[in-house]
Amino acid sequence: MALIGKKLSHSFSKQYFDERFRAEGRTDCEYSLCEMPTVDHIRQWVVDRHVIGFNVTNPFKVDIMAHLDIVDPVASRIGAVNCVTVEDGKLVGHNTDAAAFGNTLDIASGTRALILGTGGAAAAVAYALREKGIIFRHVSRTPQHHPGAMSYAEAAEVFTDISLLVNATPIGTWPDSDRSPWPWPENFHHGMLVYDLVYNPSPTRLMRQAADHGARTTDGLAMLHRQASLSWEFYLPHLHP
């Protein structure tokens, strides 16, 4: 098993799975962090490494779909895959991000939300919010390329009506931990929840800015653990008993 992505030095995934293997007394499992420039040769990598399954992170959650034989219905509706199993030689895509985000978000339906980002993680967040009946808009630095998305300036104009802000971009991730995806920290207010999917470092600069202005904050560590646990359930049938 493995995690694939372009840059993985920030990831806690190997630590999570290694601890899971030890807790369950499994010595037949190994979890690796595998940095790749693209996923163009993913099939050969699977064969060469004898991989039974792997997780996918930024920026490949959408790109990986073109290389899969099967995408399950939930992942297909989301439009992003973060977990792949190898079944009878076929690559099968799943999405555990959406359920993990939904499981770790406790907020009332009808809440108005903004999602920073338009990539695979943002797509999973959007799916979970839709399932919970939460009204949301995506915010993008290039809204002209993403139908329905708002610019950051447009988002700032409606910020007083927002009760949930989700950072689904990698901005603020170690080692660029001095950066924040939101340019105007004075916009944060009491009664708002800021959910930053970044978990390394924690608190992020975004979370500190939000807390300084009275907002509640949470990082993405609980979501990471939950999506990894759900991924493990997909991997388990393909391990030796």
Side-chain angles (χ1 to χ4, degrees), residues 117-118 137-151 154:
T118 53
R137 293 283 299 274
H138 287 279
V139 182
S140 172
R141 300 194 182 281
T142 56
Q144 66 274 20
H145 300 311
H146 303 283
M150 309 172 74
S151 69
E154 290 171 329

Side-chain angles (χ1 to χ4, degrees), residues 3-8 33-42 45 56-61 63-64 67:
L3 172 68
I4 66 167
K6 273 194 175 178
K7 296 180 180 180
L8 300 175
L33 302 181
C34 298
E35 295 184 345
M36 302 179 179
T38 72
V39 289
D40 291 346
H41 306 291
I42 196 68
W45 173 79
V56 185
T57 192
N58 182 63
F60 299 139
K61 293 181 181 183
D63 293 350
I64 193 67
H67 301 274

Side-chain angles (χ1 to χ4, degrees), residues 11-22 31 33 225:
S11 177
F12 291 171
S13 291
K14 178 174 172 55
Q15 175 184 332
Y16 173 86
F17 277 101
D18 285 349
E19 290 175 357
R20 185 76 182 249
F21 300 155
R22 283 193 294 271
Y31 196 90
L33 302 181
H225 288 168

Side-chain angles (χ1 to χ4, degrees), residues 141 152 167-173 176 179-182 196 198 204 206:
R141 300 194 182 281
Y152 275 74
N167 177 34
T169 79
I171 295 174
T173 304
D176 295 322
R179 299 178 62 204
S180 171
W182 187 254
D196 196 338
V198 174
T204 62
L206 174 69

Side-chain angles (χ1 to χ4, degrees), residues 63-99:
D63 293 350
I64 193 67
M65 295 179 73
H67 301 274
L68 304 179
D69 299 293
I70 302 169
V71 178
D72 76 23
V74 171
S76 182
R77 287 196 293 273
I78 293 169
V81 162
N82 75 299
C83 174
V84 177
T85 50
V86 183
E87 304 178 21
D88 297 323
K90 296 184 183 297
L91 302 185
V92 183
H94 316 276
N95 190 295
T96 64
D97 278 338

Side-chain angles (χ1 to χ4, degrees), residues 194-213:
V194 175
Y195 193 134
D196 196 338
L197 301 196
V198 174
Y199 57 83
N200 183 13
S202 182
T204 62
R205 184 176 181 187
L206 174 69
M207 291 169 63
R208 294 197 306 271
Q209 290 173 333
D212 286 345
H213 290 81

